[in-house]
Amino acid sequence: MPMLLWLLLLILSEQMDYNGTRASVPKGDQGKTQKVAPKAVLLLDPPWSTAFKGEKVTLTCRGISHFPARRDMFWYRNEKLLKKQYNAIQITESGNYQCKTRESSLSDAVHVEFSYDSLILQASHPVFEGDNVTLRCQGKEDENAHEKVYYKDGKQLPNSYNLDFIIVNSVSRDNSKYHCTANYRILPMVSIKRTSKYLNIQVQELFLHPVLRVSSSVPIEGSPMTLICETQLSPQRPKVQLQFSFFRDSQTLGSGWSRSPKLQIPAMWTEDSGSYWCEAETVTDNIKKRSLTSQIRVQRVPVSNVNLQIQPTGGQLIEGENMVLICSVAQGSGTVTFSWHKEGRVRSLGRKTQRSLLAELHVLMVKESDAGRYYCAADNVHGPILSTLIQVTVRIPVSHPILTFRAPRVQALVGDLLELHCEALRGSPPILYRFYHEDVTLGNSSAPSGGGASFNLSLTAEHSGNYSCDADNGLGAQHSHGVSLRVTVPVSRPILTLRAPRAQAVVGDLLELHCESLRGSFPILYWFYHEDDTLGNSSAHSGGGASLNLSLTTEHSGNYSCEADNGLGAQRSEVVTFSVTGTSRNRTGLTTAGVTGLVLSILSLAAAAAALLHYARAQRKPGGLSATGTSSHSPSECQEPSSSRPSRIDLQEPTHSKPLAPVELEPMYSNVNPGDSNLIYSHIWSIQHTKGNSANCPTMHQEHKELTVLYSELKKKHPDDSAGEARSRGRAHEDDEENYENIPRVLLASDH
């Protein structure tokens, strides 16, 4: 009898109406999770819940273990325990059958009907909520049954005419009634219509009705709370996916439907009191079930232990940073009003009312005036509670420093004492200054009370360049702009070097005068002197000195010197003595080779000289040479001697202190055994006839001079020369003559 009562209570509890009329979960059980053993599963073979009388149906019971021990099996028919302990049994009697094992709870009841009728409607088993079910209209003598029709609640199902079976989609536990009809032929032309009994499809629960579990039925205001929607899937449908939703007084909590059966509420407030429940729903088949309601009341706690914190930690701020004032309470619930204050200020800095145990006030871009002592207050209707005072200090980063030079004069010289002064106009002390020359550290100096700092240098030539400094008070270094310094170095005594093509210079050589001062700031102006007469000057903008070239004459012998000046005082070199030999190299070569050449060419010279004299007389005219004639004097000989130094003279046009006297008879060109293998000797003579003072400047008075130029040449004789070779040598001879520009052509002996 106690067992039957327990089964009755279990069935009644599962079939109660979930419209909110059921009592709330007891206070002692709301926070506890009761573990219920999974239900056993009862299976039919064949899988039809209705059979004809005389047929047999096999029942199989499955729990957690698919093959439980024999002594662990229990069978029930119409809530009566059967004396059978097998895993599977055969039945022939109608009734409600159940089973259980020691590891599982009692299975759902399955009604098996054994009918005496000739036409029955069969439904497949097991069927769960949302499943598709197969209905079969079966006759005892099925071969005579035809025109089968299926009905639900008295209405014919669509597309169900003359079918042996149909499939009903997504059934539910709605107590719908199904039946079928069929025509039986008793004679070839006579049929009788028969109707089956009504059938209630036994739809099993896919999952149990959910139960709402709460972490506390009387939470303290401001404390968190956890809601759990607890249910259980059928062991035969373990892969079904469910989603959950939580409600308070018909208002959805959280984000709505979720796969998680838990909802975490960060803080509960007095207005959160009310009726709570949850719902569980399948993701695909829209099978929804609702839990019972639970009443939750939230309690309020007064504020206590108010505390003020400042970020950055310690209240040490840098000007321009943001400050955060955090006011918190150790206890307190509900709506709390926070306010922030600075000592000595009447009005509050800010006020916030919120449901939280802490609040923040942001002070943007703090200034030096924001330094001081701060406190906060909190109140949740029971009166404000004050925090302790917190000191705030504001430090100022250094600004970009300014570097200045302090020297005894505008233009810094080697040996001067230079003071480098670096100063940041703003910044909290102490400030450390560093000084740099071309990014190389020179040294540092500290300013404990603020202001600037200095660094002294005794200047050398190497101190020219770019200087900078930086300032640092631990809040970030700042670099100054670069400042350039040029240290001017006076020139040292220059060295004059004479560069000639040979040890003993002769007339016609090119002499290079090179003057160089090894020390001194650029640019340097170099002056060149011959016997204290200025020859010229040249400016050097970089190292290496400067040079002046002279084409030597006999007058260029004497003492030479140079002078260097860069605006800080001129320095003169030592005197260098130089001599020029009057005989040129060509005439010396002629004397050396004259013995041999004279013997070989005396006869030819005599004939050539006669021809040349005759030609020269024929060409001479009273007006002298034409404008194409070339004088042996250089243009510089027409200038006046200069006793004073000129401001600037081109290096390519050196000046001379004295003009050179013209030569009446001067060899212009002489060569013995020149490069031409056919030429033994060649010579040019120039004879000038001057009138009045024109000799002092022949280039300016060419119309008052007469010039006779003689050209002679002695060539070898080639007996074997053919006519063609003679012509080619004549052409080569004409090409050689073109090398003597501005010389009147004379009749050569070889042309005869």
Side-chain angles (χ1 to χ4, degrees):
M1 188 67 182
M3 178 64 72
L4 295 176
L5 181 59
W6 180 82
L7 291 174
L8 181 60
L9 292 175
L10 178 65
I11 294 172
L12 290 175
S13 65
E14 292 178 352
Q15 294 179 350
M16 289 185 67
D17 182 31
Y18 287 84
N19 293 325
T21 59
R22 187 173 174 181
S24 62
V25 179
K27 294 182 180 180
D29 296 336
Q30 286 180 338
K32 299 179 182 179
T33 301
Q34 298 179 351
K35 293 186 178 179
V36 180
K39 289 183 179 182
V41 178
L42 197 156
L43 303 178
L44 306 180
D45 185 22
W48 308 106
S49 60
T50 304
F52 290 106
K53 190 65 175 177
E55 294 180 341
K56 295 182 180 181
V57 176
T58 301
L59 303 181
T60 303
C61 187
R62 289 185 180 177
I64 297 176
S65 175
H66 292 288
F67 303 100
R70 177 176 175 179
R71 63 181 179 274
D72 294 337
M73 298 297 304
F74 302 93
W75 290 96
Y76 301 89
R77 177 175 175 268
N78 296 332
E79 301 178 359
K80 294 181 180 181
L81 181 63
L82 300 177
K83 297 181 180 180
K84 296 181 181 181
Q85 292 184 335
Y86 297 100
N87 187 37
I89 62 174
Q90 284 187 341
I91 60 172
T92 58
E93 297 294 332
S94 299
N96 293 323
Y97 289 86
Q98 291 175 287
C99 73
K100 70 180 291 295
T101 67
R102 293 188 184 277
E103 299 175 347
S104 61
S105 60
L106 195 65
S107 70
D108 290 334
V110 177
H111 180 78
V112 181
E113 178 74 23
F114 290 94
S115 177
Y116 289 95
D117 297 336
S118 59
L119 184 67
I120 61 175
L121 179 63
Q122 296 176 316
S124 58
H125 183 85
V127 178
F128 290 91
E129 297 167 304
D131 285 354
N132 298 331
V133 63
T134 301
L135 299 179
R136 186 172 71 167
C137 193
Q138 186 72 14
K140 197 166 188 180
E141 297 176 358
D142 195 58
E143 65 275 4
N144 294 325
H146 59 89
E147 297 181 0
K148 299 176 181 178
V149 181
Y150 298 84
Y151 297 88
K152 176 184 178 181
D153 295 332
K155 295 181 180 180
Q156 181 179 342
L157 293 173
N159 302 320
S160 65
Y161 178 76
N162 200 24
L163 297 175
D164 288 335
F165 66 91
I166 64 171
I167 296 176
V168 179
N169 297 325
S170 188
V171 296
S172 61
R173 306 179 72 183
D174 56 1
N175 296 323
S176 297
K177 297 182 180 300
Y178 296 84
H179 74 278
C180 69
T181 62
N183 291 328
Y184 274 85
R185 285 187 188 139
I186 57 176
L187 292 174
M189 299 298 294
V190 179
S191 297
I192 298 176
K193 184 176 182 179
R194 294 181 178 177
T195 302
S196 70
K197 288 183 179 180
Y198 286 95
L199 172 69
N200 289 325
I201 300 176
Q202 301 180 57
V203 181
Q204 301 184 49
E205 277 191 310
L206 185 61
F207 58 93
L208 298 178
H209 277 83
V211 176
L212 178 64
R213 308 288 183 185
V214 297
S215 58
S216 176
S217 61
V218 187
I220 297 176
E221 192 175 28
S223 64
M225 187 175 70
T226 302
L227 304 178
I228 301 176
C229 194
E230 189 178 87
T231 186
Q232 185 177 341
L233 287 168
S234 171
Q236 291 179 283
R237 297 290 191 272
K239 296 184 179 180
V240 173
Q241 294 182 342
L242 299 177
Q243 57 186 359
F244 304 89
S245 184
F246 298 85
F247 303 88
R248 184 193 71 239
D249 298 333
S250 302
Q251 181 181 358
T252 303
L253 302 178
S255 57
W257 290 103
S258 170
R259 296 290 181 90
S260 175
K262 292 184 179 182
L263 176 65
Q264 186 76 33
I265 300 177
M268 296 288 290
W269 311 108
T270 54
E271 55 267 29
D272 293 330
S273 300
S275 298
Y276 287 76
W277 76 88
C278 70
E279 291 182 357
E281 180 184 47
T282 58
V283 175
T284 55
D285 296 327
N286 197 27
I287 299 172
K288 184 186 298 183
K289 296 181 181 181
R290 173 180 166 175
S291 73
L292 299 176
T293 59
S294 297
Q295 294 295 325
I296 297 177
R297 300 298 176 194
V298 182
Q299 294 182 347
R300 170 163 290 186
V301 178
V303 296
S304 63
N305 297 331
V306 181
N307 182 49
L308 176 63
Q309 292 180 329
I310 297 179
Q311 291 182 352
T313 305
Q316 298 288 332
L317 289 100
I318 302 173
E319 186 183 42
E321 286 185 335
N322 297 333
M323 179 173 63
V324 182
L325 304 176
I326 304 172
C327 191
S328 62
V329 295
Q331 292 181 348
S333 61
T335 301
V336 181
T337 299
F338 297 91
S339 59
W340 291 265
H341 309 268
K342 182 183 178 184
E343 190 178 35
R345 181 172 175 175
V346 177
R347 298 184 60 184
S348 65
L349 301 175
R351 184 181 298 270
K352 287 185 178 180
T353 301
Q354 57 190 44
R355 296 167 182 171
S356 174
L357 295 179
L358 63 86
E360 297 180 355
L361 177 68
H362 293 258
V363 180
L364 304 179
M365 303 290 290
V366 297
K367 304 178 292 297
E368 191 174 7
S369 59
D370 292 324
R373 297 204 297 177
Y374 291 77
Y375 65 95
C376 72
D379 182 16
N380 66 344
V381 185
H382 297 284
I385 306 297
L386 304 182
S387 71
T388 58
L389 292 167
I390 300 294
Q391 180 67 42
V392 173
T393 303
V394 179
R395 299 190 63 198
I396 304 173
V398 293
S399 60
H400 285 282
I402 300 173
L403 177 65
T404 56
F405 292 152
R406 298 173 181 175
R409 57 180 60 84
V410 176
Q411 179 61 55
L413 301 180
V414 172
D416 285 351
L417 184 64
L418 175 69
E419 177 187 355
L420 285 74
H421 184 77
C422 188
E423 183 174 0
L425 299 181
R426 296 185 74 250
S428 298
I431 302 175
L432 179 64
Y433 294 94
R434 294 183 180 88
F435 299 86
Y436 302 92
H437 174 222
E438 301 294 353
D439 296 329
V440 177
T441 303
L442 296 174
N444 57 57
S445 181
S446 180
S449 303
S454 298
F455 186 82
N456 296 328
L457 284 177
S458 181
L459 295 179
T460 64
E462 290 73 17
H463 284 140
S464 293
N466 295 319
Y467 288 80
S468 62
C469 68
D470 62 27
D472 189 4
N473 63 350
L475 304 178
Q478 295 290 340
H479 208 71
S480 72
H481 293 293
V483 181
S484 296
L485 175 69
R486 182 173 180 269
V487 180
T488 305
V489 182
V491 294
S492 61
R493 188 173 188 181
I495 300 173
L496 178 63
T497 305
L498 304 183
R499 301 171 182 173
R502 58 181 59 81
Q504 179 58 54
V506 299
V507 173
D509 284 349
L510 186 65
L511 176 65
E512 179 187 356
L513 285 74
H514 183 78
C515 188
E516 183 175 1
S517 183
L518 300 181
R519 292 180 68 254
S521 300
F522 298 101
I524 301 176
L525 181 63
Y526 291 95
W527 295 85
F528 297 88
Y529 303 97
H530 175 224
E531 300 294 354
D532 294 331
D533 291 331
T534 303
L535 296 176
N537 60 38
S538 179
S539 181
H541 295 272
S542 59
S547 297
L548 181 71
N549 296 327
L550 289 178
S551 180
L552 294 178
T553 64
T554 55
E555 287 78 7
H556 286 143
S557 295
N559 295 322
Y560 288 82
S561 62
C562 69
E563 189 177 80
D565 189 5
N566 64 350
L568 301 177
Q571 293 290 335
R572 191 117 177 195
S573 70
E574 294 182 355
V575 175
V576 179
T577 303
F578 182 74
S579 63
V580 181
T581 303
T583 306
S584 67
R585 182 184 61 177
N586 290 337
R587 295 186 65 179
T588 304
L590 177 60
T591 304
T592 304
V595 177
T596 304
L598 183 61
V599 174
L600 296 176
S601 61
I602 189 170
L603 295 176
S604 298
L605 282 173
L612 288 171
L613 289 172
H614 176 75
Y615 179 79
R617 292 192 184 96
Q619 294 295 326
R620 185 178 302 166
K621 296 181 181 180
L625 284 177
S626 64
T628 59
T630 301
S631 171
S632 62
H633 297 281
S634 65
S636 63
E637 297 175 357
C638 299
Q639 300 176 359
E640 291 293 331
S642 175
S643 59
S644 63
R645 183 186 309 165
S647 62
R648 181 178 294 271
I649 301 179
D650 195 300
L651 285 175
Q652 303 301 324
E653 298 180 2
T655 60
H656 303 279
S657 60
K658 297 179 181 180
L660 301 179
V663 180
E664 293 297 331
L665 183 58
E666 181 180 354
M668 295 296 291
Y669 176 86
S670 179
N671 191 13
V672 177
N673 194 15
D676 189 354
S677 60
N678 296 321
L679 188 63
I680 298 176
Y681 176 82
S682 62
H683 205 89
I684 298 175
W685 292 89
S686 174
I687 302 174
Q688 298 183 4
H689 303 274
T690 61
K691 297 181 180 180
N693 295 329
S694 62
N696 293 330
C697 189
T699 57
M700 298 175 57
H701 305 280
Q702 291 184 5
E703 69 277 7
H704 299 296
K705 72 175 182 178
E706 294 183 1
L707 175 65
T708 301
V709 180
L710 301 182
Y711 175 83
S712 64
E713 180 177 317
L714 181 62
K715 305 183 67 175
K716 294 179 183 179
K717 183 179 181 182
H718 297 273
D720 299 332
D721 284 351
S722 61
E725 292 174 344
R727 286 192 299 271
S728 65
R729 286 195 300 271
R731 285 192 298 270
H733 171 67
E734 293 175 359
D735 294 340
D736 291 338
E737 290 177 353
E738 294 176 358
N739 294 329
Y740 303 100
E741 298 179 359
N742 300 325
I743 298 177
R745 179 173 176 179
V746 298
L747 187 61
L748 302 179
S750 59
D751 292 340
H752 295 282

